[in-house]
Coordinates of all heavy atoms in Angstrom, one line a residue:
C24 N 163.0 87.7 57.2 CA 164.0 88.6 57.9 C 164.9 89.2 56.9 O 164.4 89.8 55.9 CB 164.8 87.7 58.9 SG 165.5 86.3 58.2
D25 N 166.2 89.1 57.0 CA 167.1 89.8 56.1 C 167.2 88.9 54.8 O 168.0 87.9 54.8 CB 168.5 89.9 56.8 CG 169.5 90.7 55.9 OD1 169.2 90.9 54.7 OD2 170.5 91.1 56.5
V26 N 166.5 89.3 53.8 CA 166.4 88.5 52.6 C 167.8 88.3 51.9 O 168.2 87.3 51.4 CB 165.4 89.0 51.6 CG1 165.8 90.3 50.9 CG2 165.1 87.9 50.5
V27 N 168.7 89.4 52.0 CA 170.0 89.3 51.4 C 170.8 88.2 52.1 O 171.4 87.4 51.4 CB 170.7 90.7 51.5 CG1 172.2 90.6 51.1 CG2 170.0 91.7 50.6
E28 N 170.8 88.2 53.4 CA 171.6 87.1 54.1 C 171.0 85.8 53.9 O 171.7 84.8 53.8 CB 171.6 87.5 55.6 CG 172.5 88.6 56.0 CD 173.9 88.5 55.4 OE1 174.5 87.5 55.6 OE2 174.4 89.5 54.8
E29 N 169.7 85.7 53.8 CA 169.0 84.4 53.5 C 169.4 83.9 52.1 O 169.7 82.7 52.0 CB 167.5 84.5 53.7 CG 167.0 84.6 55.1 CD 167.2 83.4 55.9 OE1 167.0 82.3 55.3 OE2 167.6 83.5 57.0
V30 N 169.4 84.7 51.1 CA 169.8 84.3 49.8 C 171.2 83.9 49.8 O 171.6 82.9 49.1 CB 169.4 85.4 48.7 CG1 170.0 85.0 47.4 CG2 167.9 85.5 48.6
K31 N 172.1 84.6 50.4 CA 173.5 84.3 50.5 C 173.7 82.9 51.1 O 174.4 82.0 50.6 CB 174.3 85.3 51.3 CG 174.6 86.6 50.7 CD 175.4 87.5 51.6 CE 175.6 88.8 50.9 NZ 176.3 89.8 51.9
R32 N 172.9 82.6 52.2 CA 173.0 81.3 52.8 C 172.5 80.2 51.8 O 173.1 79.2 51.7 CB 172.1 81.3 54.1 CG 172.1 80.0 54.8 CD 171.2 80.0 56.0 NE 169.8 80.2 55.7 CZ 169.0 79.3 55.1 NH1 169.4 78.1 54.9 NH2 167.7 79.6 54.9
L33 N 171.4 80.5 51.2 CA 170.8 79.5 50.2 C 171.8 79.2 49.1 O 171.9 78.1 48.6 CB 169.5 79.9 49.7 CG 168.3 79.9 50.7 CD1 167.1 80.7 50.1 CD2 167.9 78.5 51.1
K34 N 172.4 80.2 48.6 CA 173.4 80.1 47.5 C 174.6 79.3 47.9 O 175.2 78.6 47.1 CB 173.8 81.4 46.9 CG 172.8 82.1 46.1 CD 173.2 83.4 45.5 CE 174.5 83.3 44.7 NZ 174.5 83.8 43.4
S35 N 174.9 79.3 49.2 CA 176.1 78.6 49.6 C 175.8 77.1 49.9 O 176.8 76.3 50.0 CB 176.6 79.2 50.9 OG 175.8 78.9 52.0
E36 N 174.6 76.7 49.9 CA 174.2 75.3 50.1 C 174.1 74.6 48.8 O 174.0 75.2 47.7 CB 172.8 75.2 50.8 CG 172.8 75.8 52.2 CD 171.4 75.8 52.8 OE1 170.4 75.5 52.0 OE2 171.2 76.2 53.9
D37 N 174.3 73.3 48.9 CA 174.1 72.5 47.7 C 172.6 72.4 47.4 O 171.8 72.5 48.2 CB 174.6 71.0 47.9 CG 176.1 71.0 48.0 OD1 176.8 71.8 47.3 OD2 176.6 70.0 48.6
G38 N 172.3 72.3 46.1 CA 170.9 72.2 45.7 C 170.6 72.8 44.4 O 171.5 73.2 43.6
Q39 N 169.4 72.9 44.0 CA 168.9 73.5 42.7 C 169.2 75.0 42.7 O 169.3 75.6 43.7 CB 167.5 73.1 42.5 CG 167.2 71.7 42.4 CD 165.8 71.4 42.1 OE1 164.9 72.2 42.2 NE2 165.5 70.1 41.8
D40 N 169.1 75.5 41.5 CA 169.2 76.9 41.2 C 168.0 77.6 41.9 O 166.9 77.1 42.0 CB 169.3 77.3 39.8 CG 170.6 76.8 39.1 OD1 171.5 76.5 39.8 OD2 170.5 76.7 37.8
L41 N 168.2 78.9 42.3 CA 167.2 79.7 42.8 C 166.7 80.6 41.6 O 167.5 81.1 40.8 CB 167.7 80.6 43.9 CG 168.3 79.9 45.1 CD1 168.9 80.9 46.1 CD2 167.2 79.1 45.8
H42 N 165.4 80.8 41.5 CA 164.8 81.6 40.5 C 163.9 82.7 41.2 O 163.2 82.4 42.2 CB 163.9 80.7 39.6 CG 164.6 79.7 38.9 ND1 165.1 79.8 37.6 CD2 165.1 78.4 39.3 CE1 165.7 78.7 37.2 NE2 165.7 77.9 38.2
V43 N 163.8 83.8 40.6 CA 162.9 84.9 41.0 C 161.9 85.1 40.0 O 162.2 85.3 38.8 CB 163.7 86.2 41.2 CG1 162.8 87.3 41.6 CG2 164.8 86.1 42.3
W44 N 160.6 85.0 40.4 CA 159.5 85.2 39.5 C 158.7 86.4 39.9 O 158.2 86.4 41.1 CB 158.6 84.0 39.5 CG 159.3 82.8 38.9 CD1 160.0 81.8 39.7 CD2 159.3 82.4 37.6 NE1 160.5 80.9 38.8 CE2 160.1 81.2 37.5 CE3 158.9 82.9 36.4 CZ2 160.4 80.5 36.3 CZ3 159.1 82.3 35.2 CH2 159.9 81.1 35.2
G45 N 158.5 87.4 39.1 CA 157.6 88.5 39.3 C 157.9 89.5 40.4 O 156.9 90.0 40.9
S46 N 159.1 89.7 40.8 CA 159.3 90.7 41.8 C 160.5 91.6 41.4 O 161.6 91.3 41.6 CB 159.7 90.0 43.2 OG 160.0 91.0 44.1
G47 N 160.1 92.7 40.8 CA 161.1 93.7 40.4 C 161.9 94.2 41.6 O 163.2 94.4 41.6
K48 N 161.3 94.4 42.7 CA 161.9 95.0 43.9 C 163.0 93.9 44.5 O 164.1 94.3 44.8 CB 160.9 95.3 45.0 CG 161.5 96.0 46.2 CD 160.4 96.4 47.2 CE 161.0 97.0 48.4 NZ 160.0 97.4 49.4
L49 N 162.6 92.7 44.5 CA 163.5 91.7 45.0 C 164.7 91.5 44.1 O 165.8 91.5 44.5 CB 162.8 90.3 45.2 CG 163.7 89.1 45.6 CD1 164.4 89.4 46.9 CD2 162.9 87.9 45.6
I50 N 164.5 91.5 42.8 CA 165.6 91.3 41.9 C 166.5 92.5 41.9 O 167.7 92.4 41.8 CB 165.1 91.0 40.4 CG1 166.3 90.4 39.6 CG2 164.6 92.2 39.7 CD1 166.8 89.1 40.0
Q51 N 166.0 93.7 42.1 CA 166.9 94.9 42.3 C 167.7 94.8 43.5 O 168.9 95.1 43.5 CB 166.0 96.2 42.3 CG 165.4 96.6 41.0 CD 164.5 97.7 41.1 OE1 164.0 98.1 42.2 NE2 164.1 98.3 40.0
T52 N 167.2 94.3 44.6 CA 167.9 94.1 45.8 C 169.0 93.0 45.6 O 170.2 93.2 46.0 CB 167.0 93.6 47.0 OG1 166.0 94.6 47.2 CG2 167.8 93.3 48.2
L53 N 168.7 91.9 44.9 CA 169.7 90.9 44.7 C 170.8 91.4 43.7 O 172.0 91.1 44.0 CB 169.0 89.6 44.1 CG 168.0 89.0 45.0 CD1 167.4 87.8 44.3 CD2 168.6 88.6 46.3
I54 N 170.5 92.2 42.7 CA 171.5 92.7 41.8 C 172.4 93.7 42.6 O 173.6 93.6 42.5 CB 170.8 93.5 40.6 CG1 170.2 92.5 39.7 CG2 171.8 94.3 39.9 CD1 169.3 93.1 38.6
R55 N 171.8 94.5 43.4 CA 172.6 95.5 44.2 C 173.6 94.8 45.1 O 174.6 95.4 45.4 CB 171.6 96.4 45.0 CG 172.2 97.5 45.8 CD 171.3 98.5 46.4 NE 170.0 98.0 46.9 CZ 168.8 98.1 46.2 NH1 168.7 98.8 45.1 NH2 167.7 97.6 46.8
H56 N 173.3 93.6 45.6 CA 174.2 92.9 46.5 C 175.0 91.8 45.7 O 175.5 90.9 46.4 CB 173.4 92.3 47.6 CG 172.8 93.3 48.5 ND1 173.6 94.0 49.5 CD2 171.6 94.0 48.6 CE1 172.9 94.9 50.2 NE2 171.7 94.9 49.6
D57 N 175.1 91.9 44.4 CA 175.8 91.0 43.6 C 175.5 89.5 43.8 O 176.3 88.6 44.0 CB 177.3 91.2 43.8 CG 178.2 90.6 42.7 OD1 177.7 90.4 41.6 OD2 179.4 90.4 42.9
L58 N 174.2 89.2 43.9 CA 173.7 87.9 44.1 C 173.0 87.3 42.9 O 172.3 86.2 43.0 CB 172.7 87.9 45.3 CG 173.4 88.2 46.6 CD1 172.3 88.4 47.7 CD2 174.3 87.1 47.0
V59 N 173.1 87.9 41.7 CA 172.5 87.4 40.5 C 173.6 86.8 39.6 O 174.5 87.5 39.2 CB 171.7 88.6 39.8 CG1 171.2 88.1 38.4 CG2 170.6 89.1 40.6
D60 N 173.4 85.5 39.3 CA 174.4 84.8 38.4 C 173.9 84.8 37.0 O 174.7 84.6 36.1 CB 174.6 83.4 38.9 CG 175.1 83.4 40.4 OD1 176.0 84.2 40.7 OD2 174.6 82.5 41.1
E61 N 172.6 84.9 36.8 CA 172.1 84.8 35.4 C 170.8 85.6 35.3 O 170.0 85.7 36.3 CB 171.8 83.3 35.2 CG 171.5 82.9 33.8 CD 171.5 81.4 33.6 OE1 171.9 80.6 34.5 OE2 171.1 81.0 32.5
L62 N 170.6 86.2 34.1 CA 169.4 86.9 33.8 C 168.7 86.2 32.7 O 169.3 85.9 31.7 CB 169.7 88.4 33.4 CG 170.3 89.3 34.5 CD1 170.8 90.6 33.9 CD2 169.3 89.6 35.6
W63 N 167.4 86.0 32.8 CA 166.5 85.5 31.8 C 165.5 86.6 31.5 O 164.6 86.8 32.2 CB 165.8 84.2 32.2 CG 166.7 83.1 32.4 CD1 167.9 83.0 33.1 CD2 166.6 81.8 31.8 NE1 168.4 81.8 33.1 CE2 167.7 81.0 32.3 CE3 165.6 81.2 31.0 CZ2 167.8 79.7 31.9 CZ3 165.8 79.9 30.6 CH2 166.9 79.1 31.1
L64 N 165.7 87.4 30.4 CA 164.9 88.5 30.2 C 163.9 88.3 29.0 O 164.2 87.6 28.1 CB 165.8 89.7 29.8 CG 166.9 90.1 30.8 CD1 167.7 91.3 30.3 CD2 166.2 90.5 32.1
K65 N 162.7 88.8 29.2 CA 161.8 88.8 28.1 C 161.5 90.3 27.8 O 161.1 91.1 28.6 CB 160.4 88.2 28.6 CG 160.6 86.7 28.9 CD 159.3 86.1 29.4 CE 159.5 84.8 29.9 NZ 159.5 84.7 31.4
I66 N 161.8 90.6 26.5 CA 161.7 92.0 26.1 C 160.5 92.1 25.1 O 160.4 91.5 24.1 CB 163.0 92.5 25.4 CG1 164.1 92.3 26.3 CG2 162.8 93.9 24.9 CD1 165.5 92.2 25.7
F67 N 159.5 92.9 25.5 CA 158.2 93.0 24.8 C 158.3 94.3 23.9 O 158.7 95.3 24.4 CB 157.0 93.1 25.7 CG 156.8 91.8 26.5 CD1 157.5 91.4 27.6 CD2 155.8 90.9 26.0 CE1 157.3 90.2 28.2 CE2 155.6 89.7 26.6 CZ 156.4 89.3 27.8
P68 N 157.8 94.2 22.7 CA 157.8 95.4 21.8 C 156.7 96.4 22.0 O 155.9 96.7 21.2 CB 157.7 94.7 20.4 CG 156.8 93.5 20.7 CD 157.2 93.0 22.1
I69 N 156.6 96.9 23.3 CA 155.6 97.9 23.6 C 156.2 98.9 24.6 O 157.2 98.6 25.2 CB 154.3 97.3 24.3 CG1 154.7 96.5 25.5 CG2 153.6 96.4 23.3 CD1 153.5 96.0 26.3
T70 N 155.6 100.0 24.7 CA 156.0 101.0 25.8 C 154.7 101.3 26.6 O 153.6 101.4 26.0 CB 156.6 102.3 25.2 OG1 155.6 102.9 24.3 CG2 157.9 102.0 24.5

Side-chain angles (χ1 to χ4, degrees):
C24 55
D25 185 347
V26 72
V27 170
E28 290 306 314
E29 287 292 320
V30 170
K31 284 180 183 178
R32 179 184 62 77
L33 290 168
K34 284 181 58 125
S35 72
E36 296 176 356
D37 288 333
Q39 296 181 349
D40 291 343
L41 301 171
H42 299 261
V43 175
W44 294 93
S46 177
K48 185 175 179 182
L49 176 58
I50 197 65
Q51 287 174 347
T52 298
L53 298 178
I54 289 171
R55 186 171 33 256
H56 292 278
D57 200 16
L58 293 171
V59 174
D60 301 317
E61 192 168 354
L62 295 169
W63 293 51
L64 303 178
K65 295 178 191 101
I66 304 161
F67 292 81
I69 59 173
T70 57

